[in-house]
C-alpha cells in the first residue's frame, strides 16, 4: 500500500532553516508528480510546492517562492523541501502529497489532484 512518511520538522527561530523529507513506498515513485502542502492552525490545506516526475519542473506558492526549494531523489524514493528565511506564518503541519494521475503535472494543483497525503510533520517558527 502507498506510504508517505514525513520527517525533519521542529522548532526553529525566525530567519532559520529546515529541510523536510518524505519517504515514499508502495507505488512507482518515478511515475508521479509530488507536492508539499501545509495546514496552519485553524486554517485549511494550503499548497506549497510541486515537482514533476523527473525533478526538472517545479512550482511554488507565492508565499514561499524564493525561500523554499523542492527536490526529489528518485533513486531513494524521497521528496525534500528545503525551507529558508522562515517566518512565523510558515508555522504549520507539512504534508507530502502524491498526485493520483500518473505522469500528470500542473503548476497549480488543487486538492482533487492528490490521492494520498502523509501523516505530516510539525514546523513551528518562533523566537
Amino acid at each position: 500500500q502507498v506510504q508517505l512518511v514525513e520527517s525533519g520538522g521542529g522548532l526553529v527561530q525566525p530567519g532559520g532553516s529546515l529541510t523536510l523529507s518524505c519517504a515514499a513506498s508502495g507505488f512507482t515513485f518515478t511515475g508521479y508528480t509530488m507536492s508539499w502542502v501545509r495546514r496552519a492552525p485553524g486554517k485549511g490545506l494550503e499548497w506549497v510546492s510541486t515537482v514533476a516526475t523527473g525533478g526538472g519542473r517545479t512550482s511554488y506558492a507565492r508565499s514561499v517562492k524564493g525561500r523554499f526549494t523542492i527536490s526529489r531523489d528518485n533513486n531513494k524514493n524521497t521528496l525534500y523541501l528545503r525551507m529558508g528565511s522562515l517566518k512565523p506564518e510558515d508555522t504549520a503541519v507539512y504534508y507530502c502529497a502524491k498526485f493520483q494521475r500518473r505522469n500528470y503535472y500542473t503548476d497549480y494543483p488543487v486538492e482533487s489532484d492528490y490521492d494520498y497525503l502523509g501523516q505530516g510533520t510539525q514546523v513551528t517558527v518562533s523566537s
Side-chain angles (χ1 to χ4, degrees), residues 24-122:
S25 62
F27 66 102
T28 305
F29 185 68
T30 54
Y32 294 89
T33 295
M34 299 291 294
S35 287
W36 286 98
V37 298
R38 66 187 180 185
R39 189 189 305 274
K43 296 190 177 180
L45 208 60
E46 178 191 13
W47 167 70
V48 174
S49 182
T50 295
V51 60
T53 55
R57 191 169 177 183
T58 60
S59 57
Y60 297 90
R62 188 177 302 178
S63 58
V64 307
K65 195 168 187 177
R67 300 187 297 121
F68 290 11
T69 303
I70 192 171
S71 63
R72 62 193 294 163
D73 185 335
N74 286 341
N75 291 320
K76 296 182 178 179
N77 287 359
T78 302
L79 178 72
Y80 301 99
L81 185 69
R82 189 171 70 181
M83 306 185 295
S85 302
L86 283 162
K87 305 175 181 180
E89 50 264 43
D90 294 317
T91 295
V93 178
Y94 284 72
Y95 304 88
C96 61
K98 171 188 168 292
F99 271 50
Q100 62 177 321
R101 289 171 59 185
R102 190 180 179 110
N103 292 325
Y104 172 71
Y105 178 85
T106 176
D107 279 332
Y108 303 105
V110 296
E111 282 193 49
S112 60
D113 286 320
Y114 313 125
D115 56 358
Y116 289 94
L117 269 64
Q119 86 289 345
T121 186
Q122 176 71 48

